Amino acid sequence: MRGQVHLWAAQRITAFVLAAAVFVHLATIMLAVRGGLSAAEIVARLSGAEGWLAFYAVFALAAGIHGAIGMRNIAGEWLGWRGRGFDALWLGIGLVTAAFGIRAAWGLYHA
Amino acid sequence: MAQLKVRIQRSDGIAEYAVAARENQTVLDVVTEIQREQQPDLAYRFACRVGMCGSCAMEVNGVARWTCRTHVRKVAEDGTLTLRPLANLPVIRDLATDMKPFFDKWARARGQFQPKDAPNGAVPVEFAVVPPSSPKRQEADAGIECIGCGVCYASCDVVSWNPDYLGPAALNRAWTLVNDVRDGGRRERLDAVAGDAGCHSCHSTQGCTERCPKNLDPSSAIAGLKRSIFWGVLAP
Ligand code: HEM
Ligand code: SF4
Ligand code: SF4
Ligand code: FES
């Protein structure tokens, strides 16, 4: 029960983080595409930039956690996937999703 | 006289009846007429006929309603009524459902008042003085008129997806008591309504609020429970 409440709280808090991060993300996109978008430009912005690395890492982690908790709820309702085994599965999916995003941010940081 | 076509979901299948369409008749009047004149073994439930007892709820043309307070002319489609027992509850027979799971969940949600100054349910020595205009009392009053009809419970998708879900009425009752300054069971009650079988499964779709014949707002009550539990987790 406690755990379920924490999942719920985590989803709300990550939703809050996502709302802010999506806003920053969209603003960055709009600024970045002005005058065309090139790989060199992206690398120039992100390479060695700790601030951006941290931002994308937090963004990816929040998205992974938020999405997995949400999918857990829907799968419980629609497919009857309930219990500790499935919870572990969703935790794995969330962390793997986040890891993909963080790896991409890490790669650009070192590019 | 014009005829009303009535299709009733009985335990052994759909049965069709025709009754006289009158100027003024409630859905309960129609069911009673069918039982008295045409189908003496038709099972259904009612008591007060005036929206007090909450026992006459059924699904009328797809929507859960109090049949005693529903005029036929407001809900008939092409002169037809389709009646089913309330959804999300076991059927005893025909239109009568077993309300046991519904009330068991009230108990699970700790829906009983627990006097602060007389923990074992004893009668308190003194009357508590609670001004009706105090904000806490008004929050408690907002949900107190529930008569346990089960209309909201039958209208909630989450109940149909998760049979363990406490449902809007039990959670509305819990929130009412959480706001009652005379009640001493707040902590246990919030624990009892937390988690996947409790308020955290509600999607705030407001189906319950839309359908409640007493115009109560279980959806907001549930949001209140989530809020209280959230702050309890962050700052225990
Ligand atoms: C702007 C960013 C976002 C915000 C503000 C946000 C907000 C929310 C909120 C408040 C809920 C709870 C809904 C409920 O209780 O019924 C939710 C559920 C959900 N979100 Fe997000 N979200 C965002 C982004 C995302 C992203 C990027 C994904 C995909 C990875 C996602 C996937 C989900 C899923 C699958 C659910 C479950 C639906 C449910 O439980 O009803 N969300 N979101
Ligand atoms: S608001 Fe919550 S309790 Fe009410 S019908 Fe929707 S899911 Fe069910
Ligand atoms: S909240 Fe409304 S619909 Fe639900 S049981 Fe109480 S009176 Fe009936
Ligand atoms: S018969 Fe009592 S509420 Fe309808």
Side-chain angles (χ1 to χ4, degrees):
Chain A
M1 222 92 101
R2 284 267 114 174
Q4 293 163 3
V5 175
H6 285 124
L7 285 179
W8 185 88
Q11 204 197 20
R12 300 307 130 138
I13 291 166
T14 52
F16 193 74
V17 171
L18 283 173
V22 166
F23 183 79
V24 173
H25 190 48
L26 285 174
T28 314
I29 291 171
M30 287 198 298
L31 292 175
V33 296
R34 287 198 305 187
L37 189 65
S38 70
E41 211 184 305
I42 296 175
V43 170
R45 184 163 50 89
L46 295 177
S47 184
E50 279 89 12
W52 281 117
L53 174 64
F55 170 74
Y56 284 117
V58 169
F59 194 174
L61 193 60
I65 293 172
H66 179 90
I69 297 174
M71 295 302 289
R72 170 188 176 272
N73 298 344
I74 294 174
E77 285 168 359
W78 290 54
L79 305 171
W81 291 10
R82 296 190 183 99
R84 289 189 173 273
F86 285 114
D87 286 354
L89 174 73
W90 287 118
L91 177 67
I93 290 175
L95 292 180
V96 168
T97 314
F100 276 120
I102 293 172
R103 198 189 61 160
W106 185 250
L108 283 163
Y109 175 73
H110 282 289
Chain B
M1 194 181 263
Q3 295 286 298
L4 187 67
K5 193 167 115 188
V6 187
R7 306 170 72 238
I8 297 184
Q9 174 72 58
R10 302 198 66 202
S11 296
D12 55 2
I14 299 262
E16 274 200 31
Y17 307 90
V19 298
R22 295 171 214 283
E23 182 67 18
N24 249 325
Q25 78 198 132
T26 64
V27 176
L28 183 63
D29 293 335
V30 168
V31 178
T32 300
E33 182 172 330
I34 290 171
Q35 196 230 34
R36 295 212 176 138
E37 313 284 337
Q38 307 183 32
Q39 191 76 63
D41 64 345
L42 178 66
Y44 69 112
R45 199 190 285 121
F46 76 96
C48 71
R49 298 174 289 115
V50 289
M52 303 273 295
C53 71
S55 64
C56 67
M58 299 171 203
E59 198 178 291
V60 184
N61 286 354
V63 176
R65 296 175 179 283
W66 292 345
T67 51
C68 72
R69 301 292 285 167
T70 301
H71 280 278
V72 170
R73 65 185 138 77
K74 293 228 173 98
V75 292
E77 286 159 10
D78 301 323
T80 305
L81 285 181
T82 303
L83 307 179
R84 292 173 195 281
L86 276 185
N88 296 339
L89 289 162
V91 174
I92 298 173
R93 194 156 69 85
D94 300 338
L95 296 169
T97 47
D98 182 359
M99 302 295 284
K100 187 171 188 303
F102 176 78
F103 288 114
D104 282 351
K105 287 178 183 179
W106 277 53
R108 245 175 59 206
R110 291 190 170 255
Q112 58 280 67
F113 174 55
Q114 223 169 290
K116 215 180 234 163
D117 45 4
N120 301 322
V123 179
V125 187
E126 273 303 332
F127 287 112
V129 179
V130 184
S133 59
S134 60
K136 267 291 184 198
R137 189 60 230 172
Q138 290 194 334
E139 275 197 78
D141 282 344
I144 207 160
E145 293 286 347
C146 171
I147 61 172
C149 65
V151 163
C152 55
Y153 188 82
S155 308
C156 174
D157 284 331
V158 176
V159 177
S160 64
W161 292 327
N162 180 4
D164 288 335
Y165 178 51
L166 292 170
L171 293 170
N172 174 74
R173 175 63 185 162
W175 180 238
T176 300
L177 289 175
V178 165
N179 284 308
D180 191 327
V181 295
R182 303 166 304 157
D183 186 274
R186 176 189 166 93
R187 177 142 236 145
E188 295 84 350
R189 192 169 292 110
L190 287 180
D191 280 347
V193 300
D196 288 349
C199 62
H200 292 101
S201 279
C202 166
H203 291 291
S204 316
T205 55
Q206 308 195 0
C208 49
T209 298
E210 169 83 22
R211 297 278 160 81
C212 173
K214 299 283 293 185
N215 288 323
L216 305 185
D217 188 0
S219 184
S220 295
I222 294 167
L225 288 172
K226 288 175 178 171
R227 235 176 10 250
S228 300
I229 294 169
F230 182 73
W231 294 117
V233 165
L234 288 193

